[in-house]
Amino acid sequence: MVRLATASLVGTAIEFFDFFVYGTAAALVLGPLFFPTFSPLAGTLAAFGTFAIGFVARPLGSVLFGHVGDRYGRRPVLFASLLLTGCATVAVGCVPTYETIGIAAPLLLLTLRFFQGLGLGGEWGGAVLLTAEHAPANRRALWASFPQIGPAVGFLLANGVMLALTAGLSDAEFRSWGWRVPFWAAGVLAAAGLLLRSSLAETPQFEELSASGRRASAPLAEIVRDHWRLVLLTAGALAVGYAVFYTVSTWALAYGTERLGVSSTVMLTCVMAAVAVKGAATPFVALLADRWGRRPLCLAGCAASALWMFPMVALLHTAEPLLMFLGFLGSLLAFITMFAVIAAYLPELYEPRVRCTGAAVGYNLAGVLGGALTPIVATTLSDGGSGPPWGVAAYLTVVALISLGCFALLPETLPAPSVAAEAAPA
């Protein structure tokens, strides 16, 4: 389990490094480089529009790779998704700017961002099922939480590189070539991830499905026919997690640098410190889920998000590093109270024959609802006025309340004590 969990964590971290480095670049530099004829606000919105394309592609990736995972195994998904995302990310670092090739530059950016999202849409389902389906029932949430640490590690890697580059290079050097370095580094990381995953075994549950001839011939059709309500509820339930995380990691970065005049180095440091604490807390929250259940923690995380959004916006608007960090930290702790749990919760909600498709589609559809739109909506709501952007806080609170209602309609899936005891290793 340690080897499997490590491989899932590392691979997920690499893929999210690829995804997050684009979000940071969109907040800091892509607007003026690829949309120079726009106003500063319109350029930021356009850059966040290309950012959103990755989220639109993720459900499509979950359908494509989910079919592979349910028909041919979880293991092939891990290789194909990582290869696709890695290649697309390296290519982003090679795209000429608008000044060089005109309108072709943002079009290429959009295309490559789409392929990034397509690959990431398959990564989560494969990595989570690899650990969840190997794990003993009494510790499934703990082991399945390791891929959920991957996004924090990927974010810290992506923004750590960006922080070093913005601190070590002049603004002209960073805009000229420095922003490309993290995208090129993705190729090395992807190769390392593929090597690490080369020795992983297929999950016992998929091998059992194969042996019994019960694999789904058309997983998506079964999901649409028999599990559509579950997919919509899980997507709605998880939307607040994406909305909160990308408010902190993407919109707040742009708002702090452009509207509050805080240096990008300070903003990145505040966000990274909060993400580091969030990542460290993940397995501890998962242990609580193995003891008390999945649904209670998810409900608590939604409620905490609804209560914290107005304080978070107020703390951000102070432009004081320590206060901004506390605002971000409270938001991300509420976020991880839900997202440390769902790596076990979502697979348990779906039957094994369609689990890779169902869990991944629900998870990534939530990304469209919460992650793709939030930076754009938040940027629009915060335009104008000198006071705190209360409209952003109100928007996030509404999303949290909707997610709370969706979680309330989902069942508990914690294995009964007798089942957990039978499944526990001797």
Side-chain angles (χ1 to χ4, degrees):
M1 284 308 306
V2 171
R3 182 172 60 86
L4 288 167
T6 302
S8 294
L9 189 159
V10 170
T12 307
I14 292 168
E15 293 226 27
F16 275 92
F17 169 88
D18 298 351
F19 204 73
F20 286 144
V21 79
Y22 191 102
T24 305
L28 296 179
V29 74
L30 294 186
L33 289 179
F34 288 87
F35 304 95
T37 59
F38 291 12
S39 69
L41 174 63
T44 300
L45 287 170
F48 282 151
T50 64
F51 174 77
I53 290 295
F55 285 97
V56 174
R58 283 173 65 169
L60 300 177
S62 65
V63 170
L64 171 64
F65 289 106
H67 181 87
V68 173
D70 286 325
R71 285 290 300 156
Y72 306 105
R74 318 321 192 191
R75 190 170 175 269
V77 172
L78 298 177
F79 289 92
S81 60
L82 182 56
L83 184 63
L84 176 60
T85 307
C87 290
T89 305
V90 173
V92 169
C94 301
V95 176
T97 62
Y98 186 93
E99 185 180 2
T100 304
I101 60 172
I103 192 64
L107 292 178
L108 281 172
L109 208 61
L110 280 169
T111 302
L112 294 171
R113 180 61 174 174
F114 178 86
F115 284 118
Q116 261 193 332
L118 204 66
L120 193 62
E123 163 66 24
W124 185 85
V128 163
L129 292 191
L130 185 76
T131 51
E133 292 187 345
H134 275 100
N138 65 327
R139 285 290 180 265
R140 184 175 294 132
L142 172 62
W143 289 113
S145 73
F146 278 78
Q148 295 298 83
I149 303 173
V153 176
F155 182 87
L156 292 173
L157 283 173
N159 287 278
V161 174
M162 282 291 192
L163 182 60
L165 289 167
T166 55
L169 299 175
S170 67
D171 185 63
E173 290 172 329
F174 181 74
R175 289 174 178 268
S176 175
W177 58 267
W179 69 271
R180 299 181 184 273
V181 173
F183 293 93
W184 296 334
V188 178
L189 294 175
L194 291 170
L195 181 64
L196 182 63
R197 289 180 166 183
S198 62
S199 61
L200 298 180
E202 188 53 78
T203 69
Q205 291 190 21
F206 181 80
E207 289 181 340
E208 181 183 339
L209 285 172
S210 297
S212 62
R214 292 186 293 112
R215 287 178 298 170
S217 58
L220 181 62
E222 286 194 32
I223 289 293
V224 172
R225 184 183 67 243
D226 301 328
H227 304 286
W228 61 270
R229 182 176 179 274
L230 182 57
V231 169
L232 294 179
L233 281 177
T234 52
L238 300 179
V240 64
Y242 281 98
V244 168
F245 187 85
Y246 286 99
T247 293
V248 171
S249 66
T250 303
W251 170 77
L253 198 59
Y255 182 82
T257 54
E258 295 173 6
R259 291 290 303 279
L260 302 180
V262 182
S263 74
S264 57
T265 301
V266 170
M267 290 302 303
L268 282 171
T269 302
C270 292
V271 175
M272 287 172 63
V275 170
V277 177
K278 184 266 291 186
T282 302
F284 298 101
V285 176
L287 279 171
L288 296 177
D290 278 325
R291 181 173 178 84
W292 302 110
R294 289 51 163 137
R295 187 167 168 268
L297 288 175
C298 291
L299 291 171
C302 281
S305 296
L307 293 171
W308 188 247
M309 292 303 98
F310 278 90
M312 186 272 288
V313 166
L315 291 169
L316 168 64
H317 194 71
T318 66
E320 291 292 332
L322 179 59
L323 296 179
M324 290 192 297
F325 163 74
L326 292 175
F328 298 154
L329 180 61
S331 301
L332 294 184
L333 289 179
F335 158 84
I336 205 57
T337 303
M338 296 172 280
F339 271 57
V341 174
I342 58 161
Y345 195 18
L346 260 66
E348 289 170 344
L349 286 169
Y350 292 89
E351 57 182 303
R353 59 185 278 117
V354 294
R355 180 173 287 159
C356 195
T357 301
V361 169
Y363 182 85
N364 288 295
L365 189 58
V368 178
L369 300 176
L373 299 178
T374 293
I376 297 172
V377 172
T379 300
T380 304
L381 291 175
S382 60
D383 180 41
S386 57
W390 299 124
V392 176
Y395 166 74
L396 293 172
T397 302
V398 169
V399 174
L401 293 175
I402 292 172
S403 292
L404 184 68
C406 291
F407 271 124
L409 295 173
L410 290 172
E412 179 57 72
T413 61
L414 179 68
S418 58
V419 175
E422 291 172 7

